[in-house]
Amino acid sequence: MVTAPPTSFRTDAFDQVVMTTYGRFPIALVRGEGCRVWDDQGRSYLDFVAGIATCTLGHAHPALVETVSRQMQTLHHVSNLYYIPQQGALAQWLVAHSCGDRVFFCNSGAEANEAAIKLARKYAHTVRHIDSPIIITAQASFHGRTLATLTATGQPKYQQHFDPLVPGFAYVPYNDFGALEALVTSLDHPQPQVAAILLEPLQGEGGVRPGDRTYFEQVRQLCTDKGILLIFDEVQVGMGRTGSLWGYETLGVEPDIFTTAKGLAGGIPIGAMIAKDFCAVFQPGDHASTFGGNPLATAAALTVCETLEKENLLQNVRDRGQQLRAGLCQLQAAYPHLIAEVRGWGLINGLELHPDIPLTAAEVVKAAIGEGLLLVPAGPKVVRFVPPLIVSAAEIDMALGAVSRAFGHFVA
Ligand SMILES: *Cc1c(COP(=O)(O)O)cnc(C)c1O
């Protein structure tokens, strides 16, 4: 295997010109293949971040390389002034493989959620005649960084200094049906105001917290009874990550609208908002995106979808996920004073550190980098494992070895 030659890349020069919105780990990645990436010094890492749950097929997958190269040589962007065959084919695949009927394409998770928020508001105004619609979201949720999706995000730390926020949002604790029912009852008196409930099937950024099945069944029933739209944010858990194609299938509860983005085109920017026919109330001119659904991104996504089926990746996600969780549970048994809990579905898993020790997720991630493994925190105390869906049994074992060595640094 070829390793990249060392470059003259300098982080201090980078930091002088790139706005400091990110706290970055001090490595520069320059090449990837499968579940492995290389930095500019030629060091290699096992990639259990996958561009934050995005590189579904890993790096340089031959099918994706072929599609993107061919599409780039043929036609990559034309705008939605015209019909785009690849966009139609991708929409057809998504509709055939989900509970949804119609798709709107954009370029990111935040934009997909923004579209869902607009659709829910228009439905509330035009179908239910609600003057001032409210969307309920969960505490510790994450829905994006645009002003509306930041407001939807139930985490004050992301909202600080960006007020005034967007009106029309209210928050409840996650997985607590009593609290949700009480809020809906109070907001809907004297007349209905609740337009939608927006939830992640599993909270990703909020600490890898799986949704409770009974809770989601109760929420579905409440929404159906009251005519409230149920929206699922599948930006992180959609496209097979939980072992089902959609997180809602893992829960056994269907939404009216759902969004997807991260893994959809395997790392080429794309987002999608998918709705059932009864609430797909957008008309020409209501919403738009210049780049949305362009030939390059939709051809790439279609290849990701077809490869998921062809390589039977959902089965791999379930098997490798079980293997990973079993190994992490063994690690927890070895370090019970450091590790409080291991949880997740398929290939989105979290390892929560004990609340009463000073050790942080970022420190564990740094130690893992030193052992040749890339991981990503999900909040201050949870280490997240989101490898490409093509990960092999041998690579899971290698990653477990590296995490185990990393934890070895924290015991005297
Ligand atoms: C990452 C994420 C988003 C935001 O996606 P961007 O592409 O960064 O805008 C929204 N919702 C969830 C659940 C996410 O994980």
Side-chain angles (χ1 to χ4, degrees), residues 21-23 25 48-54 109-110 113 138-145 149-150 152-158 174 199-211 233-238 241 261-263 343-344 347-352 361-362 365 375-386:
T21 50
Y22 305 97
F25 295 101
F48 272 47
V49 175
I52 315 188
T54 291
N113 287 333
Q139 288 163 8
S141 60
F142 186 83
H143 299 296
R145 303 290 201 142
T149 59
L150 177 72
T153 294
Q155 299 195 59
K157 70 169 178 185
Y158 291 120
Y174 190 61
L199 295 168
E200 294 160 87
L202 169 154
Q203 291 189 326
E205 303 300 313
V208 190
R209 283 177 205 289
D233 179 341
E234 297 253 4
V235 167
Q236 188 154 169
V237 297
R241 184 146 295 276
K262 285 191 168 82
R343 57 176 180 253
L347 286 174
I348 176 158
N349 293 285
L351 181 158
E352 181 155 29
V365 169
L375 297 173
V376 54
K381 294 295 253 185
V382 178
V383 182
R384 180 172 21 168
F385 296 74
V386 281

Side-chain angles (χ1 to χ4, degrees), residues 42-93:
R43 283 177 300 219
S44 97
Y45 305 84
L46 201 49
D47 183 7
F48 272 47
V49 175
I52 315 188
T54 291
C55 301
T56 309
L57 306 180
H59 302 279
H61 189 289
L64 194 55
V65 170
E66 219 283 305
T67 295
V68 172
S69 312
R70 183 172 31 83
Q71 197 59 53
M72 204 59 211
Q73 286 164 352
T74 313
L75 185 72
H76 72 290
H77 180 79
V78 289
S79 91
N80 287 297
L81 290 169
Y82 316 103
Y83 280 86
I84 298 170
Q86 294 82 359
Q87 187 181 126
L90 176 61
Q92 221 154 35
W93 193 94

